[in-house]
Amino acid sequence: MAAHTSRAFLSLGRINVPGLGLHKSVSRVTYSTGLSTDSSKATTGSPQKGGKKVLSKKYKREPGDPRTELMPVDQDWTAVYPVATPFIPDAIPLPVRMGCPVKGGAPPEKKGNLELIKIPNFLHLTPAAIKKHCEALKPFCTEWPSALDTDAKCDEHFPIKVETKSYVSAGPSIRNPAARIVHLSVKLSSLNLNDQARKKMLKLVGDRYCKDTDILTITADRCPLKQQNYDYAMYLLTVLYHESWKIEAWEAEKTVADMEEYSWEGSLSQENILDVLVRMKEAGEGEGEEVREQLLGRREVQEYKDSVTRLKNEGENESTMLQYKEAVKKVLKL
Amino acid sequence: MLSMYFNIHGGSQQQEAVAAESEPEPLSIFRTQENDPACQSEKHFGQYYTLPSAHVRTVFPHGLPMRYKQQVKTFNEACMMVRPPALEVISSLKKTDNSKPAVRYLFYGLKGSGKTMTLCHTIHFCYTQGWLVLHVPDAHLWVKNCKELLPSSFNSSRYDQPLQATEWLRNFRITNEPFLSKIKTKQRYVWTKRESTEEGSTLGELVDQGITRVKTSSDVVGAVMKELRLQSGQPESDFRLAVAVDGVNALWGRSTIRKMNNTAVDPEELTLVYNLRKLMKNDWTGGAIITTLAQTGAVYTSKYSYLPKELLGEKGFDSMDPFIPVSVPNYSEKEFESCYLYYMDRHWLQYPHSRTEDGKKELIFLSNRNPSMLERICGFH
């Protein structure tokens, strides 16, 4: 054990050992192998030469093999590194190198490498260690409900997901102000909203809704405590839901410019196409509403309607333009 | 291809063999002798046909792109390539029914891909078929850089542009000489207390009135458009009307003209634009409306926009709807080959490096087969 500790001291480079001659011998040992060199004998020898009978010729034990040589391959690593400990080169059987490489050479080896000691290591958190932690925590846990075996079932029964972060650090205070933030996410399809309510909800919510995943995310961080923020987020969700179901008097004044999507019925495009078809030979069959209804029912007109709606809603690219062109050609019978 | 080129000048057996297998054009593989647009077909895709210089003077006093006009002057001939978009519209035009409302065609494509040239090709077809061509070379010219803006005498809320109107009337007269004496006005037009055009006078008189009396020229343009619109497609008139507008997105865009109190003028308030918009509607029969989008002269539009809805805007799209959009793409490989051979034939490609395969690949890379870029780059090669 003593030898172990002394070697530890050696590698740390910090010595608090009283005694003469050992300073020099220690600094030499840091950059060389553990074998004692002749120079140490020389220094210890010199007082002897001086004639003084120094009884305290420090017995310098030969440092043995590093512990890595003696470790079996299937050892229990959690016993070697049970807690967070700085990097010990002789206890870690890995040929790690770190630092700036010498010109034409490799980075310095792990022995006495300060860089490896400075950085944090997670050697105490290997999978085996984590497994042991889980086993230790198991008596305090309840079982996962067997009915919730797929993600879809979890979404169905628990549509609201609350995300919070907690922080642990060593410092003068254990509080972290970032721990108060609460993210509440819910899929709009799981809420009971009809068409008008959904459009109003989207207008109220704005950027907080992601169209691709259909998830509304409410982030609350205005209160100092996590619990307060959670309550506020739940309150916001409730209020949004109820408000989107209410219909105000001024909502009846919604104009075409406010519409989220293009609807072909009642648009200029419909007027135009009916006008054109009436002026073509179709005009001979009668006037008024029946003609319009009959024209609207035609297949080409339906195709035309689909192509215009697609063009306006999706934006224009080659495929929508081609579809529109084909539809117009068919309608105008070219 | 290269050996083909040298053989043209050599005049060997090979040349006749090649000529026999592909169309009766003894000169080269990129030209065709079929100069009548009505008889051109898919066989002539990628080949150049020559426009007779008389046609160029009459049909296109103001219609051709500037660089093409310079090219015509340099090469001493006006050669145009036969391309699929033009032939598509021409074949539709051949089948138009005089009793049906006018169909609207819209050429769209990237900058410099050949939309104006395609429009000119279609106009040439209409002219050779004897149609009356109402060609507005660049509608953008009417919404910007107006030196003289007069309040309209006809309608006080609108504005006249006498200079642009007179110039357009002059060019219209050059193109449609034969029709001017045949078409008679159906209405009486009063210009001032002393001047008026009686019912039954010829279109030529109306146009002359506009050219000589510059102040009334915008209203004359409106009157001409109205007359033609009312009369085409009627059983007693024997002409068909082709309305060709380049840069049609100017009609529904913004203008840079400002009134005296420094507020911007809405294009609708300009007489010329107002009348042209009326022509764009398909409520008349017996003809066709062929238009092109143009970003090049457009104001307040992004440099990279080229799609119809972007350039026309909501209002423009709804007014033009339903129309047939025809895409004009960059040159295909065959068309590029043809263009390259044409420039070589005209000795436009000077450096020997451009005759090599590497040079050709360089041209393809630099221009991305865009017609106008290719033309500019070949000027330096």
Side-chain angles (χ1 to χ4, degrees):
Chain A
M1 274 316 307
H4 172 68
T5 44
S6 66
R7 214 168 290 124
F9 284 146
L10 284 173
S11 52
L12 275 170
R14 229 185 304 132
I15 309 300
N16 207 1
V17 176
L20 42 109
L22 272 175
H23 288 284
K24 288 189 213 152
S25 62
V26 157
S27 55
R28 245 172 260 135
V29 165
T30 341
Y31 291 104
S32 63
T33 58
L35 295 167
S36 51
T37 54
D38 290 329
S39 47
S40 62
K41 278 194 193 149
T43 45
T44 46
S46 46
Q48 277 183 342
K49 266 197 179 169
K52 285 191 194 159
K53 272 221 173 116
V54 182
L55 284 160
S56 56
K57 172 195 169 223
K58 285 280 178 189
Y59 170 62
K60 192 79 183 66
R61 196 158 59 106
E62 293 276 330
D65 290 329
R67 198 150 56 109
T68 53
E69 314 281 323
L70 309 170
M71 281 176 176
V73 178
D74 54 350
Q75 69 173 332
D76 179 21
W77 180 255
T78 55
V80 181
Y81 259 80
V83 287
T85 324
F87 188 88
I88 300 165
D90 287 339
I92 295 166
L94 300 168
V96 183
R97 287 178 175 268
M98 179 150 170
C100 186
V102 181
K103 195 162 182 180
E109 54 175 12
K110 66 177 175 177
K111 209 136 180 70
N113 195 331
L114 194 59
E115 301 299 322
L116 280 165
I117 298 169
K118 285 197 290 195
I119 56 168
N121 67 64
F122 291 93
L123 294 159
H124 57 292
L125 293 175
T126 49
I130 303 287
K131 253 204 181 98
K132 281 196 180 172
H133 296 164
C134 291
E135 290 302 323
L137 286 171
K138 267 214 167 92
F140 305 103
C141 298
T142 54
E143 269 214 31
W144 183 260
S146 53
L148 295 176
D149 42 5
T150 59
D151 268 341
K153 282 195 194 160
C154 292
D155 286 344
E156 184 198 324
H157 294 284
F158 299 96
I160 301 181
K161 298 192 198 327
V162 178
E163 221 179 279
T164 52
K165 274 190 199 167
S166 46
Y167 299 80
V168 174
S169 65
S173 154
I174 55 166
R175 310 288 170 195
N176 192 325
R180 75 187 193 285
I181 303 172
V182 170
H183 302 280
L184 191 143
S185 50
V186 65
K187 276 205 167 155
L188 278 195
S189 47
S190 52
L191 295 174
N192 175 26
L193 297 167
N194 72 0
D195 194 42
Q196 171 266 335
R198 192 191 153 87
K199 289 200 173 129
K200 186 162 179 185
M201 169 80 94
L202 291 179
K203 276 205 189 318
L204 283 171
V205 147
D207 260 348
R208 294 174 185 86
Y209 176 72
C210 171
K211 220 160 60 168
D212 300 325
T213 56
D214 189 37
I215 293 181
L216 162 68
T217 314
I218 300 174
T219 307
D221 64 349
R222 55 174 62 184
C223 305
L225 294 182
K226 188 192 297 190
Q227 187 232 343
Q228 294 169 342
N229 280 319
Y230 171 75
D231 290 338
Y232 181 61
M234 291 301 290
Y235 158 76
L236 276 182
L237 184 63
T238 323
V239 161
L240 276 171
Y241 177 76
H242 288 294
E243 278 297 322
S244 58
W245 270 102
K246 289 189 200 161
I247 305 181
E248 305 279 340
W250 42 260
E251 281 183 43
E253 295 163 20
K254 194 172 180 188
T255 59
V256 173
D258 291 324
M259 296 286 178
E260 294 82 8
E261 273 186 342
Y262 177 77
S263 73
W264 191 74
E265 286 81 18
S267 72
L268 265 173
S269 176
Q270 187 189 15
E271 298 294 321
N272 288 347
I273 193 72
L274 287 175
D275 212 21
V276 168
L277 285 173
V278 161
R279 266 187 283 118
M280 281 160 71
K281 58 174 173 92
E282 275 77 6
E285 290 158 23
E287 289 299 321
E289 282 306 307
E290 307 99 51
V291 179
R292 289 167 71 90
E293 291 302 319
Q294 191 215 10
L295 286 173
L296 279 172
R298 293 248 186 105
R299 201 169 54 97
E300 298 97 37
V301 179
Q302 290 299 317
E303 272 181 28
Y304 173 75
K305 165 189 166 187
D306 290 330
S307 68
V308 171
T309 321
R310 192 169 161 226
L311 194 64
K312 293 252 180 178
N313 280 338
E314 275 179 44
E316 45 188 353
N317 46 43
E318 292 304 308
S319 69
T320 46
M321 269 287 143
L322 265 174
Q323 192 190 2
Y324 176 73
K325 183 170 150 187
E326 296 305 314
V328 170
K329 272 191 172 160
K330 275 199 208 143
V331 159
L332 298 178
K333 298 202 175 41
L334 282 169
Chain B
M1 283 287 165
L2 283 173
S3 60
M4 190 57 238
Y5 171 79
F6 289 123
N7 279 337
I8 290 161
H9 295 272
S12 65
Q13 296 278 344
Q14 239 176 346
Q15 177 207 332
E16 271 104 60
V18 172
E21 85 186 271
S22 58
E23 287 337 293
E25 71 267 27
L27 283 179
S28 44
I29 206 158
F30 58 87
R31 279 192 205 268
T32 170
Q33 298 300 82
E34 191 54 75
N35 287 343
D36 183 12
C39 308
Q40 286 160 356
S41 65
E42 298 90 42
K43 297 187 287 215
H44 304 105
F45 276 165
Q47 291 175 343
Y48 281 85
Y49 82 98
T50 324
L51 286 112
S53 48
H55 282 192
V56 174
R57 270 199 311 276
T58 21
V59 189
F60 301 121
H62 55 176
L64 296 170
M66 184 54 72
R67 284 196 76 95
Y68 184 70
K69 276 200 274 216
Q70 290 170 341
Q71 187 184 303
V72 168
K73 210 164 134 190
T74 317
F75 292 169
N76 235 355
E77 61 174 5
C79 278
M80 218 189 274
M81 198 196 277
V82 178
R83 291 182 79 189
L87 279 194
E88 196 185 319
V89 173
I90 287 176
S91 58
S92 298
L93 287 176
K94 285 185 200 168
K95 292 186 255 167
T96 42
D97 191 341
N98 259 3
S99 55
K100 297 240 181 91
V103 183
R104 287 170 289 199
Y105 302 92
L106 181 76
F107 289 118
Y108 71 96
L110 289 164
K111 195 164 161 175
S113 61
K115 302 182 285 288
T116 312
M117 291 303 290
T118 322
L119 185 72
C120 293
H121 189 171
T122 338
I123 292 171
H124 187 222
F125 164 78
C126 294
Y127 180 78
T128 50
Q129 296 294 303
W131 294 33
L132 200 161
V133 171
L134 202 144
H135 183 41
V136 178
D138 193 358
H140 293 298
L141 295 174
W142 289 0
V143 296
K144 59 180 183 176
N145 301 339
C146 182
K147 295 206 172 49
E148 255 186 52
L149 196 69
L150 306 171
S152 164
S153 49
F154 183 66
N155 186 333
S156 53
S157 63
R158 292 207 280 264
Y159 293 92
D160 271 358
Q161 288 153 295
L163 297 172
Q164 279 93 340
T166 358
E167 200 190 315
W168 184 81
L169 280 173
R170 241 179 247 132
N171 291 324
F172 177 76
R173 187 169 60 179
I174 297 173
T175 314
N176 298 303
E177 254 340 313
F179 291 100
L180 293 179
S181 41
K182 280 197 243 164
I183 303 175
K184 306 265 191 293
T185 57
K186 289 267 160 43
Q187 208 191 323
R188 184 169 182 261
Y189 295 100
V190 179
W191 308 119
T192 58
K193 270 193 281 219
R194 269 167 278 173
E195 287 170 18
S196 66
T197 311
E198 297 304 322
E199 193 182 318
S201 51
T202 59
L203 202 65
E205 282 174 23
L206 196 59
V207 172
D208 287 328
Q209 161 78 31
I211 296 178
T212 44
R213 292 270 178 266
V214 177
K215 262 184 96 167
T216 58
S217 49
S218 319
D219 290 324
V220 166
V221 170
V224 164
M225 288 183 180
K226 186 171 160 190
E227 286 295 320
L228 291 172
R229 199 174 84 228
L230 290 173
Q231 287 193 20
S232 94
Q234 302 304 322
E236 65 263 12
S237 59
D238 56 355
F239 71 94
R240 299 167 88 180
L241 179 63
V243 178
V245 183
D246 198 338
V248 75
N249 46 318
L251 301 180
W252 291 284
R254 291 164 65 179
S255 79
T256 50
I257 311 175
R258 294 191 171 246
K259 295 185 245 205
M260 292 304 286
N261 55 356
N262 227 12
T263 52
V265 171
D266 197 30
E268 216 166 44
E269 293 172 9
L270 297 165
T271 333
L272 290 172
V273 172
Y274 181 77
N275 289 318
L276 192 56
R277 273 200 206 176
K278 281 200 274 188
L279 254 190
M280 288 284 114
K281 275 174 72 71
N282 57 353
D283 48 5
W284 51 276
T285 60
I289 305 173
I290 316 150
T291 61
T292 315
L293 288 177
Q295 195 283 322
T296 325
V299 288
Y300 301 114
T301 49
S302 150
K303 201 163 70 156
Y304 303 105
S305 44
Y306 69 97
L307 291 164
K309 211 152 73 80
E310 287 176 296
L311 284 174
L312 285 173
E314 285 299 324
K315 247 177 43 177
F317 190 88
D318 288 330
S319 315
M320 288 286 282
D321 194 34
F323 63 94
I324 301 191
V326 184
S327 157
V328 180
N330 283 338
Y331 280 152
S332 67
E333 294 196 6
K334 183 173 165 195
E335 288 169 347
F336 176 83
E337 282 290 334
S338 182
C339 185
Y340 176 75
L341 287 174
Y342 177 65
Y343 285 141
M344 293 261 271
D345 177 58
R346 296 275 98 204
H347 299 293
W348 191 232
L349 290 164
Q350 290 282 324
Y351 288 97
H353 177 63
S354 31
R355 296 182 208 283
T356 60
E357 269 304 311
D358 272 345
K360 207 157 101 172
K361 283 192 193 146
E362 193 180 315
L363 286 173
I364 296 181
F365 177 74
L366 285 175
S367 64
N368 196 23
R369 293 207 205 97
N370 182 279
S372 88
M373 271 330 291
L374 180 64
E375 195 257 313
R376 275 163 217 262
I377 288 170
C378 286
F380 294 104
H381 280 63

